[in-house]
Amino acid sequence: MILLLTVAAAICGAQTPNPDSKFGPSNPFYAPSTLPFQTAPFDKIKDSDYQPAIDAGMAQQLAEIELIANNPAPPTFDNTFVALERSGQLFNRAWNAFNLVSQANTDPELEKVQDYEAPRTAALADAIDLNPKLFARIKAIYDRRATLGLDAESLRLVEYDYQQFVKAGANLSDSDKEKLKKLNEEESTLENTFMTKLLNATTAASFSTTDPKALDGLSEGQIAAAAEEAKAHKQQGWMLPLLNTTQQPDLTFLKDHATREKIFENSWNRAEHGDANDTRSTVARLAQLRAEKAALLGYPNYAAWTLTDQMAQTPEAAIHFLDALVPATTAKAASEAKEIQALSDFPSGESAPDPADWEFYAEQVRKAKYDYDESQVKPYFELNNVLEKGVFYAAHELYGLTFKERKDIPVWQPDVRVFEVDDADGTPLALWSCDYFKRDNKNGGAWEDSLVGQSKLLGTLPVVYNVANFEKPAPGQPALLSFDDVTTMFHEFGHGLHAMFANTKYPSLSGTSVPRDFVEFPSQFNEHWASYPAVFANYAKHYKTGDPMPADLAAKIVKAKTFNQGYDFTELLAASELDLEWHTLKASAPLQDPDVFEQEALKRTHLSVSYVPPRYRSSYFLHIWQEGYQAGYYAYTWSEMLDDEAFQWFADHGGMTRANGDRFRRMVLSRGNTEDLEKMYDTWLGRKPSIKPLLKNRGLEDAGK
Ligand SMILES: [Zn+2]
């Protein structure tokens, strides 16, 4: 028990914001919920209940871990792996509900709890991952796993857990563990330094002007927002802040060439001014340090280490995949450059547009070839129609699911709707909620997550939710969506299906607990049904008249998806390759000059295209230097290959049928991370995936020929 106190003390350093709070039976998280599907009792939970429940949950989980680690009985699969899977139930109960409200419906009290708990949850994870006695038991079982007669899922759990511990350095000698700890500390300091510098640099690189002519082309709303921005910074005139990408959306509209040039140059050089906010030395050291870390852990480079538990498994596989996409994509970008010259009022005599002008002239091409009027389209995308006759309809046709709205289940906010999802034979499968409308106290974007994860071991069925930020209509008015919003609904519901179809024993292998290069596959796959003719015709009906959308308008929506894809995908591939170039450096490589490195990396990967800069430059590539996407930016595109190929398989096998849906559910969607994912996918498909459907979907298939 002494050990437990030491560990507990390590995560109790900070002052608790609510020191008098007690945890007892009156706390709604104290016992498992008695509501259907054990969903959280939001009618009883007060803000002040979260923190004591989370703290008690952490203490309980640490005690459980210590019992497992110090068990005098010899290690067995049951007393180690299964016991670990059973641990932390109070913590998960409280944390899952807190995670929901702190992102979708927060307030100052919840924000305080979040600040307080964030480092403590990280320490909890460390206390488990770095527990040497626990690892010794795991290793003992791992070493003789072949002789234990384990079923396939249990064997996967042993291999997965062992891999996670080893990845974190559990197999290192004590002195190497110390070295790793120092490198981890330096890495985290550098990541924070990068973030701080970049934030300052980005703010300083905002475009400011007192000349209204410079803003010619922006809408009244955009100009008013720019005036507000200037006011907030105590400046005269107008101010346009930078987004984190190289290209800035305002460049689409700004008519003044000099303004465009200035904004682009502000963006491109934002963190390269040789001042205190220059990130280049930080980036160079981060790349070097990560290579050193990988070498210490026994890998040739950082990507090789971090991809071991991904579907791609090796950087070579990811790079080979990206390389194959480059020729068709850059050829398409070149043909788009020609199109700009032919179809826009781009000055004749000049060669390709420079990056600062691309979006402006491309917009003219879009208007000439791909335009449709949002206000014409929206009356055909009424939210309830899209949900019930689109999203639910596709799930019914493919998987036999039915949906019953449950008004008796407590919700975290009055706009939230809850549905019970039943299987084809009427068996309850899951609870699914949607929280679709924008609120000031909600994070931006859209996401899916679970309040309760599926597990046969714990006897739990999934409680899943989707959150989005659609415009809320005035009372009594219908919610009319854009096609982007429609696609978002199908996307998040696709994640939801992955979670709801989960049919696994162990919670840590269940549902959406899959690697990054696989996790977007089920969601992006589900997007395809939004424009599948039989589904589209079923939901895209005028909310007043019930008339189907005119065919020419529907065709325009589909066609618009291929606009500017050569450019957009070249940008994305350049950033993806740049990420892998940085993270396949050897530990022995000298400290790099980021500008030189970047130029050479783009040349090496045939992505040095004068009119298409990478989506992020090394000096402001936040995803890979601070947000945890290092050696993982390729994952979006990898998942896209999987989903486009999967949809093509459906198209080749009779389309939207129950037989196809059930097979996909049985072999993929229900399997979580219980199998090697490459094997799972290839077995389902009948071969390895190719990049052809991806190129076709992006309208790139004939390019480069
Ligand atoms: Zn997603």
Side-chain angles (χ1 to χ4, degrees):
M1 280 337 250
I2 290 170
L3 224 155
L4 172 63
L5 286 175
T6 328
V7 179
I11 66 160
C12 291
Q15 264 303 308
T16 155
N18 201 357
D20 299 328
S21 58
K22 296 249 177 2
F23 183 70
S26 65
N27 189 299
F29 294 108
Y30 189 77
S33 162
T34 54
L35 288 170
F37 298 84
Q38 300 186 29
T39 189
F42 285 110
D43 54 339
K44 300 205 171 68
I45 302 169
K46 302 183 297 296
D47 276 4
S48 57
D49 292 324
Y50 288 106
Q51 191 235 313
I54 292 167
D55 287 350
M58 283 185 182
Q60 189 182 89
Q61 186 164 17
L62 282 170
E64 288 163 345
I65 298 297
E66 288 308 318
L67 277 178
I68 298 167
N70 296 309
N71 189 345
T76 65
F77 178 74
D78 277 336
N79 75 18
T80 305
F81 286 88
V82 176
L84 271 173
E85 291 295 301
R86 286 186 190 280
S87 74
Q89 292 182 42
L90 169 60
F91 175 73
N92 289 336
R93 207 151 64 221
W95 184 256
N96 291 349
F98 177 71
N99 185 43
L100 190 167
V101 292
S102 63
Q103 296 192 56
N105 201 35
T106 194
D107 61 41
E109 186 171 354
L110 293 175
E111 280 165 16
K112 243 188 247 171
V113 178
Q114 190 168 26
D115 288 344
Y116 169 72
E117 296 292 2
R120 293 165 57 86
T121 50
L124 176 70
D126 279 355
I128 300 171
D129 294 345
L130 304 176
N131 185 319
K133 284 188 181 169
L134 184 61
F135 179 64
R137 294 179 76 88
I138 284 173
K139 188 171 183 333
I141 297 160
Y142 173 83
D143 286 344
R144 53 191 172 86
R145 65 194 183 284
T147 66
L148 299 175
L150 296 172
D151 62 84
E153 190 181 332
S154 301
L155 190 61
R156 174 80 172 174
L157 182 68
V158 171
E159 290 174 348
Y160 176 78
D161 279 359
Y162 177 77
Q163 184 181 47
Q164 295 306 306
F165 273 85
V166 170
K167 228 185 144 181
N171 247 343
L172 296 179
S173 70
D174 283 349
S175 66
D176 280 350
K177 270 186 193 156
E178 269 312 300
K179 277 188 208 155
L180 181 65
K181 209 175 135 198
K182 289 224 166 67
L183 288 171
N184 281 339
E185 280 165 11
E186 190 190 347
E187 185 181 20
S188 131
T189 307
L190 285 168
E191 287 179 358
N192 286 333
T193 306
F194 174 81
M195 178 74 176
T196 310
K197 284 181 172 181
L198 182 59
L199 272 176
N200 292 336
T202 305
T203 309
S206 298
F207 172 78
S208 291
T209 183
T210 51
D211 177 8
K213 280 202 216 84
L215 302 182
D216 197 12
L218 295 186
S219 70
E220 274 176 37
Q222 286 170 315
I223 292 173
E228 280 301 312
E229 189 69 24
K231 214 188 266 173
H233 288 85
K234 299 192 168 49
Q235 289 204 18
Q236 297 290 311
W238 298 270
M239 196 167 174
L240 299 172
L242 287 182
L243 295 194
N244 66 345
T245 46
T246 299
Q247 279 295 0
Q248 302 297 310
D250 289 337
L251 298 185
T252 310
F253 311 106
L254 288 162
K255 290 183 178 164
D256 180 43
H257 174 78
T259 305
R260 295 198 300 264
E261 288 281 335
K262 178 79 178 105
I263 291 176
F264 185 84
E265 133 76 31
N266 284 3
S267 175
W268 185 246
N269 289 319
R270 69 181 78 179
E272 304 205 356
H273 291 299
D275 58 5
N277 295 327
D278 193 311
T279 58
R280 282 173 290 185
S281 61
T282 314
V283 161
R285 175 59 192 146
L286 257 174
Q288 187 184 50
L289 176 147
R290 287 177 179 168
E292 288 169 10
K293 208 166 117 171
L296 184 67
L297 288 153
Y299 289 87
N301 56 60
Y302 186 90
W305 169 63
T306 198
L307 288 183
T308 49
D309 62 357
Q310 299 293 300
M311 181 176 170
Q313 293 187 359
T314 64
E316 290 73 24
I319 290 169
H320 175 76
F321 159 69
L322 293 173
D323 285 350
L325 295 166
V326 171
T329 307
T330 48
K332 180 73 174 181
S335 75
E336 287 167 359
K338 291 214 177 75
E339 216 168 37
I340 282 177
Q341 288 167 311
L343 294 177
S344 75
D345 51 21
F346 181 74
S348 59
E350 280 185 38
S351 53
D354 75 43
D357 292 331
W358 182 284
E359 303 280 353
F360 180 75
Y361 292 111
E363 175 65 7
Q364 295 178 2
V365 173
R366 190 186 70 77
K367 285 214 163 119
K369 272 186 76 180
Y370 301 89
D371 202 18
Y372 65 88
D373 184 352
E374 277 288 353
S375 67
Q376 258 187 317
V377 159
K378 283 185 162 184
Y380 295 91
F381 298 143
E382 189 272 320
L383 190 144
N384 277 311
N385 247 344
V386 176
L387 180 63
E388 293 180 16
K389 305 233 163 71
V391 174
F392 289 172
Y393 172 73
H396 177 74
E397 296 299 302
L398 285 163
Y399 312 111
L401 301 184
T402 55
F403 300 84
K404 260 193 312 233
E405 186 152 14
R406 294 280 303 250
K407 305 260 189 192
D408 58 322
I409 307 268
V411 291
W412 56 94
Q413 204 278 338
D415 288 340
V416 177
R417 295 170 68 186
V418 186
F419 294 83
E420 181 182 316
V421 185
D422 292 343
D423 242 324
D425 64 0
T427 317
L429 177 75
L431 213 55
W432 178 81
S433 308
C434 53
D435 180 357
Y436 280 143
F437 296 125
K438 193 190 287 244
R439 280 192 298 276
D440 287 345
N441 65 344
K442 192 192 260 191
N443 284 357
W447 65 96
E448 176 275 345
D449 213 333
S450 295
L451 274 168
V452 181
Q454 179 276 341
S455 162
K456 285 192 258 188
L457 179 75
L458 304 179
T460 49
L461 289 172
V463 178
V464 178
Y465 58 91
N466 285 171
V467 184
N469 273 282
F470 304 149
E471 223 47 71
K472 189 175 172 173
Q477 296 297 308
L480 303 179
L481 306 175
S482 67
F483 191 64
D484 271 356
D485 295 339
V486 172
T487 307
T488 298
M489 282 173 71
F490 277 84
H491 178 101
E492 298 309 333
F493 195 76
H495 284 305
L497 287 172
H498 197 196
M500 292 191 277
F501 285 148
N503 188 24
T504 65
K505 189 167 178 189
Y506 305 115
S508 58
L509 301 177
S510 180
T512 57
S513 308
V514 292
R516 177 175 288 156
D517 58 4
F518 193 85
V519 75
E520 294 301 322
F521 156 44
S523 53
Q524 291 173 175
F525 170 76
N526 204 51
E527 284 181 29
H528 288 275
W529 302 106
S531 44
Y532 187 74
V535 179
F536 190 85
N538 200 55
Y539 74 84
K541 291 184 176 162
H542 198 285
Y543 78 101
K544 272 187 189 154
T545 63
D547 291 340
M549 182 182 283
D552 60 326
L553 193 54
K556 279 182 186 169
I557 294 176
V558 174
K559 193 179 167 199
K561 290 201 283 190
T562 58
F563 164 69
N564 212 39
Q565 283 301 309
Y567 183 95
D568 289 349
F569 205 41
T570 301
E571 266 193 316
L572 192 76
L573 289 177
S576 307
E577 294 265 25
L578 200 50
D579 168 30
L580 285 168
E581 288 279 328
W582 275 113
H583 291 102
T584 45
L585 276 171
K586 285 190 172 60
S588 56
L591 200 67
Q592 302 295 312
D593 172 334
D595 293 332
V596 174
F597 182 84
E598 181 172 287
Q599 277 169 24
E600 285 176 357
L602 292 174
K603 266 189 216 141
R604 262 198 303 278
T605 53
H606 307 286
L607 284 158
S608 180
V609 183
S610 66
Y611 42 89
V612 193
R615 189 169 164 80
Y616 305 96
R617 200 180 186 187
S618 303
S619 54
Y620 52 83
F621 203 162
L622 184 64
H623 287 76
I624 66 164
W625 301 126
Q626 199 269 335
E627 288 189 328
Y629 267 79
Q630 55 267 32
Y633 197 69
Y634 79 92
Y636 296 104
T637 312
W638 182 277
S639 286
E640 194 176 321
M641 162 179 71
L642 302 179
D643 77 74
D644 286 344
E645 182 72 281
F647 188 72
Q648 187 61 48
W649 184 95
F650 273 73
D652 294 343
H653 291 80
M656 187 173 63
T657 69
R658 273 298 302 285
N660 286 344
D662 286 348
R663 183 175 177 273
F664 186 54
R665 171 180 175 177
R666 178 166 43 83
M667 296 178 75
V668 179
L669 291 180
S670 63
R671 305 299 300 140
N673 196 15
T674 59
E675 292 170 44
D676 176 88
L677 293 167
E678 190 183 11
K679 213 171 111 200
M680 179 202 289
Y681 187 92
D682 295 356
T683 306
W684 169 76
L685 184 68
R687 58 176 168 78
K688 297 220 155 295
S690 88
I691 57 170
K692 274 192 197 141
L694 190 166
L695 291 175
K696 183 177 137 200
N697 269 309
R698 284 193 176 252
L700 307 170
E701 76 182 332
D702 297 324
K705 283 182 187 161

